[in-house]
Amino acid sequence: MPDSTDAPHQHDRLLAIIEGKRDALIALTQARVRIPSVNPPGDHSMECGRLVADHMQAAGFGIETIRAKGALADSDRYPRINVIARREGTGPGPCVHFNSHYDVVPVGEGWTEDPFGGMLKNCRIYGRGTCDMKGGLAASMIAAEALAEFGGWPGALEVSGVADEETGGFGGAAWLAENGFFSEARQDHVIIPEPFNPDRICIGHRGVWWG
């Protein structure tokens, strides 16, 4: 853990590490948008998971690739593939987990740009999932990678990319929780960069109602 007495310098150093990854953040987001992981039916979760796994493994994280076998909608044609990347800290400490999904809703009407093009124009990336939530996944990966390089977190860092959120999460987060991959014993804090307006942070969860 960096010396807390040198906090201003350490803060600047962390920001410099993050700024140095700006191009990587853009490229990661574009690469994800260009995978048409529409759900239903649940296309391309294997390719989405592989992008997470390859990048985080290169950053020194251990990788678990997990198919939600037996989950609702999981099939050999449309397997629900989830990835958890984990890097142990420098000592005992809480685990911080970043969770994002990589499936998107169908395209719909009214697009003026290719919804799977990932075009960068006027400092914005255009495409289905840039906001909900492939951009959040890319930001999580860069954040975890930057913290690992910085050495500023004593406990474990985890990043998960999960399938199936847009149709209930049964083959994604719910399946992982039911099978012990998400648990109170394993993660201490969870950050979910689901879009909620740029100036708002929701602490906790608003709940769910099924009808």
Side-chain angles (χ1 to χ4, degrees), residues 2 8 46 50 65 67 78 91 94 104 112 136 143 157 159 172 174 194 201 211:
M46 180 71 78
R50 187 176 298 117
T65 300
R67 175 177 169 181
Y78 300 113
V104 298
T112 58
L157 292 166
V159 175
E194 186 82 23
I201 296 175

Side-chain angles (χ1 to χ4, degrees), residues 21 33 35 57 102 112 126 156 185 187 209:
K21 297 180 181 296
V33 170
I35 300 175
Q57 188 171 46
Y102 34 61
T112 58
Y126 289 81
Q187 293 92 10
W209 178 83

Side-chain angles (χ1 to χ4, degrees), residues 52-63 87 145 149:
V52 176
D54 289 349
H55 184 91
M56 298 311 295
Q57 188 171 46
F61 284 68
I63 303 298
R87 179 164 172 157
E145 181 182 2
E149 290 182 17

Side-chain angles (χ1 to χ4, degrees), residues 122-139:
N122 298 327
C123 297
R124 294 182 176 182
I125 299 174
Y126 289 81
R128 171 58 84 213
T130 51
C131 183
D132 184 11
M133 64 181 301
K134 293 180 176 181
L137 174 57

Side-chain angles (χ1 to χ4, degrees), residues 11 92 97:
H11 178 264
H97 182 101

Side-chain angles (χ1 to χ4, degrees), residues 41-89:
D43 281 323
H44 302 292
S45 71
M46 180 71 78
E47 290 92 329
C48 289
R50 187 176 298 117
L51 279 177
V52 176
D54 289 349
H55 184 91
M56 298 311 295
Q57 188 171 46
F61 284 68
I63 303 298
E64 290 182 277
T65 300
I66 308 133
R67 175 177 169 181
K69 289 186 177 181
L72 185 67
D74 174 75
S75 67
D76 290 340
R77 183 175 182 182
Y78 300 113
R80 269 41 181 176
I81 303 297
N82 306 286
V83 171
I84 299 176
R86 181 180 174 96
R87 179 164 172 157
E88 300 297 334

